[in-house]
């Protein structure tokens, strides 16, 4: 495996690195976003060279939803199999080459010049050029795509091509999260993008070609024999099997019918920790933060004291231990410890204090209320909802559970039609902090799922987003102000931070996820 030269240098900030650009055409051999502390290491004698051949089976709890191809949804395993992105982050949130080989951010942050690979073909045989980057940005600017990073894409106001393999993106203003966009934005074939949106044809430049889809059952892929990454991929193909029943998914792993899954419930993962037949890896990206959302147009929850009462009522420790099997960290904020917005004091602001919750309800003039409470209808999220229901009942808040399928909940998030309360997990806090507040449905300052609106919140978020840097003391001061608003308003009541947990059979090697949970199998293989 060829290692890409380390981009960082002593004394250089992330800002300096981005402005200075990163040159090179390194192969995709980085460790992606894997946790530094895998719970199981590779078996002894695992030094064999990668083996070519075989079909990897991946178990998913939620079916692929084509209409959400360009958005962040409950199932993002497919995107990176078929498509590439311009850049991809390493563990330190430093962008690395993919279809872009190098980049230069203007000193004023108002433009980015990209140099592109000149040896890339779409699965159709057409050559990838700068025109495809222009199309990909405009595609995300289209509100029909429901892309969470549309605000960042929309900040690109002009494109200046300098040949087929170099272009400059002109920005309306500096944006601190431009490389979040480059990692999020898959590059589709413009001629077939509408068919991709309906799931009938997926054509990209990625390592695997789409071969078949059986809704509710499976989606399959074959090796792209003309992939630009020499010698990759190793696998002949990939099959993503849809297994919504948690017990069935666990059984399919134990019997070897499924090689790999990111959908195993935490409490089930805990039972596999000592089984040598499995390799368990935690991704500490913070891509999955569990929360209770409140629709501020709903009865009672429009009162901030009620929302704060809910925040005090939840026993987060019990939630992490019983529902997540210990695979998570209690937190009152959305930020993982790797985020520049993280602070211990903020993360521990709310803890289990039922008496304080009752006092807040009393101050609001409420002694007993009943609220609708939506949750995803899979077993893991149902268990979480039941734990939360119990906690809320102890302080006088009765809830009526509303189990809902994942695609419907996604539509409700986007259309702001959630009931008074709901529980889900959100992503985007694992990136540059401004991305959460301008892009994630629950937090978006312009239009969020809670219908929360505040000129002060908008002003702080816009200031953080429009900075050319993302990790200066001034930027971090703005992140703290955003956090303070979230902690006070509690329109999103954060409960626990949990990254994705990979459970792989002993034969699987080399699978990784990017910051958005896209499955990267460039270097994956099956041992004999």
């Amino acid at each position: 495996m060829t290692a890409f030269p380390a981009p960082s240098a002593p004394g250089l900030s992330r800002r300096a690195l981005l402005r200075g650009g990163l040159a090179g055409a390194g192969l995709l051999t980085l460790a992606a976003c894997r946790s530094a502390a895998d719970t199981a290491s590779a078996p002894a004698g695992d030094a064999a060279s990668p083996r070519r051949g075989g079909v990897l089976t991946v178990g998913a709890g939620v079916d692929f939803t084509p209409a959400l191809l360009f958005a962040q949804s409950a199932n993002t395993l497919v995107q990176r199999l078929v498509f590439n992105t311009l850049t991809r982050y390493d563990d330190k949130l430093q962008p690395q080459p993919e279809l872009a080989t190098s980049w230069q951010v203007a000193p004023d942050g108002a433009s980015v010049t990209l140099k592109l690979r000149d040896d890339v073909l779409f699965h159709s045989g057409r050559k990838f050029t700068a025109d495809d980057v222009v199309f990909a940005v405009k595609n995300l600017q289209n509100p029909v795509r429901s892309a969470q990073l549309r605000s960042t894409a929309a900040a690109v106001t002009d494109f200046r091509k300098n040949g087929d393999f170099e272009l400059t993106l002109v920005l309306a203003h500096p944006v601190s999260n431009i490389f979040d966009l480059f990692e999020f934005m898959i590059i589709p074939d413009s001629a077939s993008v509408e068919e991709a949106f309906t799931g009938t044809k997926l054509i990209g430049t990625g390592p695997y070609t789409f071969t078949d889809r059986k809704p509710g059952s499976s989606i399959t892929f074959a090796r792209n024999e003309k992939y630009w990454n020499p010698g990759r991929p190793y696998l002949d193909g990939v099959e993503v099997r849809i297994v919504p029943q948690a017990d069935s998914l666990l059984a399919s792993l134990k019997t070897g019918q499924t090689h790999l899954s990111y959908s195993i419930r935490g409490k089930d993962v805990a039972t596999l920790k000592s089984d040598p037949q499995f390799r368990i890896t935690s991704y500490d990206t913070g891509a999955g933060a569990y929360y209770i959302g409140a629709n501020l147009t709903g009865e009672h929850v429009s009162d901030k004291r009620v929302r704060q009462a809910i925040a005090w009522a939840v026993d987060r420790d019990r939630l992490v231990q019983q529902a997540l099997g210990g695979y998570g960290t209690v937190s009152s904020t959305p930020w993982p410890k790797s985020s520049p917005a993280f602070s211990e004091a903020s993360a521990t602001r709310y803890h289990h204090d039922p008496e304080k919750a009752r006092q807040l309800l009393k101050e609001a003039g409420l002694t007993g209320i009943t609220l609708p409470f939506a949750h995803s209808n899979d077993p893991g999220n149902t268990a979480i909802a039941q734990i939360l229901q119990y906690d809320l009942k102890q302080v006088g808040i009765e809830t009526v559970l509303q189990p809902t399928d994942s695609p419907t909940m996604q539509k409700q998030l986007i259309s702001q039609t959630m009931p008074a309360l709901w529980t889900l997990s959100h992503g985007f806090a694992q990136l540059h902090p401004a991305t959460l507040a301008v892009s994630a449905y629950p937090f978006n300052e312009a239009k969020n799922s809670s219908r929360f609106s505040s000129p002060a919140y908008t002003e702080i978020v816009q200031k953080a987003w429009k900075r050319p840097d993302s990790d200066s003391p001034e930027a971090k001061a703005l992140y703290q102000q955003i956090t303070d608003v979230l902690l006070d308003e509690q329109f999103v009541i954060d409960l626990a931070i949990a990254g994705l947990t990979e459970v792989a059979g002993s034969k699987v090697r080399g699978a990784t996820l990017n910051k958005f949970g896209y499955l990267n199998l460039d270097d994956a293989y099956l041992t004999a």
Side-chain angles (χ1 to χ4, degrees):
M1 296 171 74
T2 304
F4 185 76
S8 57
L12 286 181
S13 68
R14 178 181 300 144
R15 180 180 182 180
L17 282 166
L18 299 184
R19 286 188 172 175
L22 294 167
L27 303 180
L28 302 182
T29 55
L30 296 163
C33 309
R34 212 182 271 278
S35 167
D38 290 359
T39 55
S41 59
D46 189 35
S49 299
R51 174 174 167 268
R52 195 170 177 83
V55 175
L56 180 76
T57 57
V58 182
V62 178
D63 197 6
F64 171 60
T65 305
L68 297 174
L69 177 65
F70 301 104
Q72 182 81 351
S73 68
N75 189 349
T76 52
L77 297 179
V78 167
Q79 277 85 340
R80 185 49 180 71
L81 300 182
V82 177
F83 306 95
N84 288 121
T85 56
L86 288 174
T87 59
R88 60 194 301 262
Y89 283 128
D90 64 12
D91 288 347
K92 297 181 179 178
L93 215 61
Q94 300 291 343
Q96 304 292 334
E98 190 155 305
L99 292 183
T101 59
S102 65
W103 44 88
Q104 183 76 38
V105 181
D108 63 358
S111 66
V112 185
T113 296
L114 299 163
K115 290 187 177 179
L116 308 173
R117 296 188 69 97
D118 61 2
D119 57 351
V120 178
L121 297 176
F122 282 95
H123 301 159
S124 61
R126 182 175 65 81
K127 195 154 192 172
F128 160 77
T129 71
D131 287 333
D132 295 299
V133 177
V134 175
F135 176 80
V137 174
K138 291 184 175 179
N139 184 53
L140 289 199
Q141 292 175 343
N142 184 349
V144 173
R145 303 306 188 212
S146 298
Q148 289 94 334
L149 272 96
R150 187 164 71 89
S151 296
T152 304
V156 180
T157 55
D158 196 12
F159 304 89
R160 296 174 185 167
K161 287 178 52 183
N162 183 25
D164 284 343
F165 303 105
E166 181 177 327
L167 82 163
T168 297
L169 306 182
V170 180
L171 305 173
H173 50 75
V175 290
S176 59
N177 64 340
I178 190 68
F179 286 88
D180 291 357
L181 174 68
F182 294 163
E183 172 140 338
F184 175 83
M185 183 177 69
I186 57 174
I187 308 295
D189 170 43
S190 56
S192 60
V193 68
E194 295 303 331
E195 292 161 290
F197 198 56
T198 60
T200 56
K201 185 183 290 186
L202 302 175
I203 295 181
T205 62
Y208 297 93
T209 61
F210 168 68
T211 54
D212 191 25
R213 175 173 176 251
K214 296 180 174 64
S217 177
S218 65
I219 181 167
T220 54
F221 309 89
R223 178 168 52 220
N224 174 11
E225 301 290 354
K226 297 181 179 180
Y227 192 39
W228 52 268
N229 193 353
R232 306 296 197 279
Y234 297 119
L235 296 165
D236 289 338
V238 180
E239 178 183 11
V240 178
R241 293 178 179 170
I242 314 304
V243 188
Q245 298 83 15
D247 292 339
S248 299
L249 182 56
L250 181 64
S252 72
L253 272 167
K254 287 183 173 179
T255 59
Q257 298 177 59
T258 296
H259 294 116
L260 174 71
S261 182
Y262 300 89
S263 303
I264 302 298
R265 293 179 299 188
K267 68 177 185 179
D268 290 335
V269 173
T271 68
L272 302 176
K273 286 178 66 175
S274 59
D275 190 332
Q277 296 303 309
F278 298 98
R279 292 149 52 91
I280 299 170
T281 304
S282 295
Y283 284 75
D284 56 5
T285 61
Y290 291 89
Y291 74 99
I292 296 175
N295 184 336
L296 272 56
T297 65
E299 188 177 15
H300 304 310
V301 294
S302 59
D303 189 323
K304 182 169 67 179
R305 293 169 295 187
V306 175
R307 305 194 297 272
Q308 292 173 342
I310 293 171
W312 289 111
V314 175
D315 186 345
R316 292 172 173 79
D317 290 301
R318 187 168 69 91
L319 178 75
V320 168
Q321 293 305 317
Q322 292 187 1
L324 305 182
Y327 285 90
T329 305
V330 298
S331 182
S332 304
T333 66
W335 316 113
K337 290 185 177 179
S338 57
S339 171
F342 175 83
S343 83
E344 190 69 32
S346 297
T348 56
R349 175 77 64 85
Y350 290 94
H351 53 85
H352 189 214
D353 191 337
E355 189 53 42
K356 196 161 190 172
R358 294 187 193 99
Q359 182 61 36
L360 282 165
L361 291 173
K362 185 178 180 181
E363 291 174 12
L366 301 171
T367 56
I369 57 177
T370 300
L371 299 170
F373 190 20
H375 65 90
S376 186
N377 62 359
D378 63 89
N381 282 294
T382 298
I384 289 172
Q386 290 170 342
I387 288 174
L388 297 174
Q389 182 184 44
Y390 175 84
D391 286 346
L392 297 183
K393 185 175 182 178
Q394 306 315 303
V395 301
I397 302 175
E398 295 281 352
T399 54
V400 180
L401 296 184
Q402 296 182 349
T404 309
D405 65 87
S406 180
T408 299
M409 290 199 82
Q410 190 86 358
K411 291 177 184 175
Q412 291 177 330
L413 282 175
I414 297 170
S415 62
Q416 300 177 296
T417 56
M418 280 296 194
L421 297 178
W422 73 91
T423 184
L424 272 176
S425 59
H426 67 73
F428 290 90
Q430 73 275 25
L431 305 157
H432 292 298
T435 294
L436 178 88
V438 298
S439 298
Y441 299 135
F443 298 90
N444 191 314
E445 54 82 19
K447 179 186 176 184
N448 54 67
S449 305
S450 295
R451 295 178 176 267
F452 170 76
S453 178
S454 160
Y457 181 56
T458 293
E459 181 181 358
I460 299 166
V461 169
Q462 288 289 317
K463 282 183 178 177
W465 180 45
K466 293 180 179 178
R467 294 187 61 85
D469 66 331
S470 59
D471 56 1
S472 66
E474 294 80 6
K476 291 180 179 178
L478 289 168
Y479 304 152
Q480 185 60 54
Q481 292 180 47
I482 292 172
T483 301
D484 290 342
V485 172
L486 296 175
L487 287 169
D488 180 54
E489 294 291 346
Q490 290 294 286
F491 59 96
V492 177
I493 303 163
D494 270 288
L495 307 173
I497 306 290
L500 289 169
T501 301
E502 174 183 295
V503 180
S506 58
K507 293 184 177 181
V508 180
R509 300 287 186 276
T512 63
L513 298 174
N514 81 349
K515 286 288 185 182
F516 293 99
Y518 300 170
L519 181 58
N520 186 331
L521 297 179
D522 280 39
D523 295 333
Y525 61 97
L526 294 169
T527 62

